[in-house]
Amino acid sequence: MGAVSAFILRRRGGAGWHWTDIVTWVWLIGGVILMFGPAVWLTLSSFKTPAALAEFPPSLLPYVTQTVTVGGYDKPLQLYTVTMDDGSTRTLAELRRVGLTAQMIDPAAPKDIIKVDISKRQPLRAFTFSLSNYSEPFIHFDFLRYLWNSVFVTTMATLITLVVNSMAAFALSKYQFRGQATIMMLILATLMVPLGVIMVPLYSIISTLGLVNNLWGVILPTVATPTGVFLLRQYMLTIPDELVDAARMDKASEWQIYWRIVLPLAAPALAVLGIFSVVWRWNDFLWPLIALSRKELYTLQVGLNIYSGELNVQWHFILAMTVVTMIPVVLVFVFLQRFITTGIASAGLK
């Protein structure tokens, strides 16, 4: 641990500070804040109450204004620390606010109404996690159904994507035929076609096949990706052709060569494509929204849309469930991240 800290804290100026040390630290700290700041803000905000989310200026930590129950009032009243005219401070409860003046009472003597300028009071707050933001969607909404739909779509789409793209990449990298380069260029050209252009034809196709309001209608149109074909082809080009020729001399079939030789050697590139596919399918919103209209078939991203009403948006539930939806993608990245650098670097060798 000492060697690691010495490496991180070392300075070009030795005992003193060189200007490059300052620039480096500012650059690194700024990069960390830009990358992880939004995620930290999202996670902490997911534990806030609706009132805490609406307050301005916003606070980073989930604070909750303390309340007190006063006889004669149906709802608990919020507590404030008020600076009186003589300079003393009192803890009062707010009845109502009219413009810049708040009508407040002392919980110990609720009959006397005290008018206070809102600039002379501060809410009495406590650091509290609102765990109901996570528990209520599981109890009152069909969150587990949406979660299962997303897991099914993501898993099946990723597996089929790996098989279909690896087959195309195997043919384009290990076979020599007329028009090979043209086919590859056409595949890459589809990257320039936006989703909005092909959305109507795609919907017409799945409608004709009877896949509307079917999870397979969400899965199948997205399994062939030009990015996956290109990535796997470039990696498979690095696999020596002599291995394939030797397998053919040993009477191995083309399927055996693909399944037992090429695929194991292309595992790093497959892991990279698997991560990309999981992220794409898990976060997909527009196509499932178009292909699905039955509520019980919604994926997680579409299901979260039910918290956005016409007149009311339940931000505390949306933020909490957004944190939950991030967990599977983060876990996939953590377990497969060692393949990313290897796969992408090796795919560009040829």
Side-chain angles (χ1 to χ4, degrees):
M1 192 66 182
V4 175
S5 61
F7 175 78
I8 295 176
L9 299 177
R10 64 178 182 174
R11 291 176 287 188
R12 183 179 180 183
W17 285 90
H18 192 267
W19 69 269
T20 56
D21 297 327
I22 300 175
V23 172
T24 301
W25 277 103
V26 171
W27 180 264
L28 293 177
I29 294 174
V32 170
I33 293 175
L34 287 176
M35 292 186 64
F36 296 100
V40 173
W41 183 280
L42 170 66
T43 304
L44 293 176
S45 297
S46 67
F47 292 101
K48 293 181 180 180
T49 62
L53 289 172
E55 69 178 8
F56 186 84
S59 61
L60 178 63
L61 299 178
Y63 288 106
V64 176
T65 302
Q66 297 186 25
T67 59
V68 63
T69 301
V70 181
Y73 297 95
D74 297 334
K75 297 181 179 180
L77 304 179
Q78 293 184 342
L79 291 174
Y80 291 83
T81 301
V82 180
T83 302
M84 308 304 294
D85 295 335
D86 58 358
S88 61
T89 58
R90 297 177 61 182
T91 300
L92 303 179
E94 181 187 67
L95 291 179
R96 65 185 62 86
R97 174 180 168 180
V98 181
L100 299 178
T101 303
Q103 297 180 0
M104 313 188 76
I105 60 172
D106 189 340
K111 294 183 179 180
D112 299 329
I113 297 179
I114 304 172
K115 294 184 178 180
V116 177
D117 191 323
I118 61 172
S119 63
K120 296 183 179 180
R121 65 174 192 171
Q122 294 292 332
L124 191 61
R125 302 193 300 176
F127 182 73
T128 305
F129 288 103
S130 182
L131 299 179
S132 61
N133 294 348
Y134 288 85
S135 61
E136 288 191 21
F138 285 93
I139 298 174
H140 300 293
F141 299 95
D142 204 4
F143 180 82
L144 292 179
R145 167 58 60 181
Y146 303 149
L147 180 62
W148 163 249
N149 291 338
S150 287
V151 170
F152 178 78
V153 169
T154 302
T155 302
M156 298 306 299
T158 299
L159 292 177
I160 299 175
T161 295
L162 293 178
V163 173
V164 171
N165 287 271
S166 62
M167 286 182 174
F170 174 70
L172 291 171
S173 61
K174 297 306 175 187
Y175 294 157
Q176 300 295 327
F177 54 89
R178 181 178 298 178
Q180 182 180 22
T182 303
I183 293 175
M184 191 62 202
M185 291 299 297
L186 289 175
I187 292 175
L188 293 178
T190 60
L191 287 171
M192 296 181 288
V193 180
L195 179 61
V197 174
I198 62 174
M199 197 166 295
V200 174
L202 275 180
Y203 184 82
S204 299
I205 292 173
I206 67 170
S207 178
T208 303
L209 296 175
L211 295 179
V212 176
N213 284 323
N214 191 315
L215 292 179
W216 287 104
V218 178
I219 296 171
L220 294 179
T222 61
V223 294
T225 61
T227 303
V229 174
F230 174 76
L231 178 65
L232 293 177
R233 174 185 176 271
Q234 293 301 107
Y235 192 93
M236 290 180 182
L237 286 174
T238 65
I239 299 175
D241 293 336
E242 289 77 8
L243 288 176
V244 177
D245 295 336
R248 287 171 179 158
M249 293 178 63
D250 291 335
K251 305 300 183 180
S253 65
E254 297 301 313
W255 172 259
Q256 289 175 324
I257 294 173
Y258 160 76
W259 187 257
R260 303 179 65 175
I261 297 177
V262 176
L263 274 190
L265 293 175
L270 290 172
V272 174
L273 180 58
I275 294 175
F276 288 164
S277 180
V278 168
V279 174
W280 293 336
R281 312 305 174 227
W282 188 264
N283 293 328
D284 194 11
F285 172 78
L286 184 57
W287 179 243
L289 180 65
I290 294 173
L292 304 173
S293 60
R294 289 168 51 190
K295 189 176 179 180
E296 62 271 17
L297 294 175
Y298 283 172
T299 59
L300 197 55
Q301 305 301 332
V302 180
L304 288 178
N305 197 44
I306 66 175
Y307 298 119
S308 300
E310 183 178 354
L311 301 176
N312 181 33
V313 179
Q314 297 172 299
W315 289 112
H316 53 303
F317 290 147
I318 293 178
L319 293 175
M321 293 303 98
T322 300
V323 173
V324 174
T325 61
M326 290 170 53
I327 295 175
V329 178
V330 172
L331 292 178
V332 170
F333 179 82
V334 168
F335 286 109
L336 298 180
Q337 63 174 331
R338 64 190 182 93
F339 292 108
I340 293 179
T341 304
T342 304
I344 293 179
S346 300
L349 290 179
K350 286 192 178 182

